[in-house]
């Protein structure tokens, strides 16, 4: 079974702090994604990566950056956390090739910024 | 901009009945649609995919249809069970990104 793990289930940070969210997948997938999920807004893509050190902006990249130094690991960085970044953050991975392949999600990190 | 819509109101049905969830999209012609299930506090889990040239796809008690004229996908769960209670998300894609709907919550009552 594909396993996508995220470093924390719950996280509380203060405004202005730098926050790191980590995601690891064990299926040798080329593609990895970071989403945030908010009530009424659904899942929105922040960034994705299609290879090591490669990244592309999603629909809402402002205030975030990412890092992919190893194939299995994809990190989301909040440079200076703000209260409007309080959300559920979900990481996903997918194999390459046909773009229709399903995405495998981690359990999510619920981040609260106070 | 492209938009994908699901009924935000929860759907309550009785055990044994067929649940039908709707997904509508605008300003886009997706190459495929995917359906996911999400339980509270957990990540979505992939269920089914249907491509634009397919009218219908089945998997056990699940059935998905894709009508490119109506710009709509229907997701059916037959012989529904309380364990089917969850939020169901549809997602459309055409490149290397998926656009998700907000999901419809399904509650199956005894």
């Amino acid at each position: 079974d594909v396993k996508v793990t995220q470093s924390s289930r719950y996280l509380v940070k203060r405004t202005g702090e730098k926050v790191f969210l980590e995601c690891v997948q064990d299926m040798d997938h080329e593609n990895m994604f970071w989403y945030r999920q908010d009530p009424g807004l659904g899942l929105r893509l922040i960034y994705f990566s299609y290879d090591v050190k490669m990244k592309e902006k999603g629909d809402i990249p402002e205030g975030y950056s990412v890092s992919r130094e190893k194939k299995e690991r994809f990190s989301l960085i909040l440079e200076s956390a703000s209260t409007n970044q309080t959300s559920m953050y979900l990481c996903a991975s997918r194999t390459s090739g046909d773009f229709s392949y399903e995405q495998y999600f981690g359990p999510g990190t619920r981040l609260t910024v106070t | 901009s492209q938009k994908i819509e699901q009924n935000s109101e929860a759907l309550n049905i009785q055990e044994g009945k067929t649940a039908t969830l709707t997904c509508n999209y605008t300003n886009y012609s997706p190459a495929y649609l995917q359906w996911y299930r999400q339980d509270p506090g957990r990540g979505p889990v992939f269920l089914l995919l249907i491509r634009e040239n397919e009218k219908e796809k089945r998997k056990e008690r699940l059935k998905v249809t894709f009508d490119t004229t109506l710009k709509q996908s229907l997701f059916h769960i037959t012989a529904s069970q309380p364990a089917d209670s969850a939020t169901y998300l549809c997602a459309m894609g055409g490149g290397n990104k998926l656009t998700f709907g907000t999901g419809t919550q399904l509650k199956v009552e005894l």
Side-chain angles (χ1 to χ4, degrees):
Chain A
D1 274 355
V2 175
K3 198 164 183 187
V4 179
T5 56
Q6 295 183 229
S7 49
S8 307
R9 290 301 306 273
Y10 301 93
L11 210 51
V12 180
K13 295 291 181 181
R14 291 190 182 274
T15 301
E17 277 193 83
K18 191 167 186 175
V19 181
F20 293 87
L21 302 181
E22 286 219 314
C23 175
V24 177
Q25 50 94 4
D26 66 358
M27 280 300 290
D28 204 35
H29 284 168
E30 290 78 9
N31 302 279
M32 297 187 74
F33 306 82
W34 274 107
Y35 295 89
R36 62 178 283 177
Q37 186 174 31
D38 301 288
L41 295 176
L43 277 100
R44 292 179 292 166
L45 181 64
I46 305 171
Y47 266 99
F48 68 98
S49 169
Y50 50 90
D51 202 350
V52 174
K53 296 192 188 295
M54 306 305 288
K55 62 186 179 187
E56 277 196 34
K57 293 179 181 178
D59 299 316
I60 51 163
E62 297 78 20
Y64 303 95
S65 62
V66 290
S67 172
R68 191 153 179 217
E69 297 297 318
K70 292 186 177 181
K71 191 175 186 180
E72 68 270 18
R73 192 177 298 267
F74 191 34
S75 300
L76 180 69
I77 303 149
L78 286 66
E79 298 291 342
S80 177
S82 64
T83 55
N84 63 12
Q85 292 178 310
T86 292
S87 187
M88 169 70 94
Y89 289 88
L90 289 157
C91 174
S93 73
R94 178 178 64 74
T95 189
S96 65
D98 188 331
F99 292 127
S100 66
Y101 290 153
E102 64 265 30
Q103 295 189 11
Y104 295 86
F105 284 84
T109 295
R110 185 162 293 283
L111 172 67
T112 303
V113 182
T114 62
Chain B
S1 60
Q2 62 193 49
K3 205 171 177 185
I4 186 165
E5 290 183 341
Q6 296 183 256
N7 193 342
S8 58
E9 287 184 23
L11 177 64
N12 297 326
I13 64 164
Q14 263 194 321
E15 183 180 21
K17 301 289 186 188
T18 296
T20 299
L21 285 69
T22 305
C23 179
N24 296 298
Y25 60 91
T26 55
N27 299 328
Y28 197 62
S29 295
Y32 57 88
L33 278 166
Q34 297 184 3
W35 284 87
Y36 289 78
R37 169 186 172 137
Q38 187 173 25
D39 292 288
R42 310 191 98 165
V45 175
F46 172 81
L47 296 173
L48 274 172
L49 174 147
I50 186 164
R51 298 180 190 274
E52 60 180 337
N53 59 350
E54 296 173 318
K55 292 255 187 261
E56 184 180 294
K57 207 77 169 284
R58 290 175 185 261
K59 180 183 175 183
E60 298 171 354
R61 294 184 296 113
L62 309 180
K63 184 178 87 171
V64 174
T65 62
F66 192 178
D67 189 325
T68 55
T69 303
L70 291 178
K71 294 185 181 293
Q72 182 179 81
S73 176
L74 298 178
F75 177 80
H76 307 271
I77 305 176
T78 58
S80 59
Q81 305 164 1
D84 295 325
S85 298
T87 296
Y88 291 86
L89 310 174
C90 71
M92 62 182 183
N96 54 4
K97 292 195 286 187
L98 283 179
T99 300
F100 283 84
T102 53
T104 299
Q105 187 179 15
L106 172 67
K107 294 180 185 175
V108 181
E109 297 161 341
L110 293 168

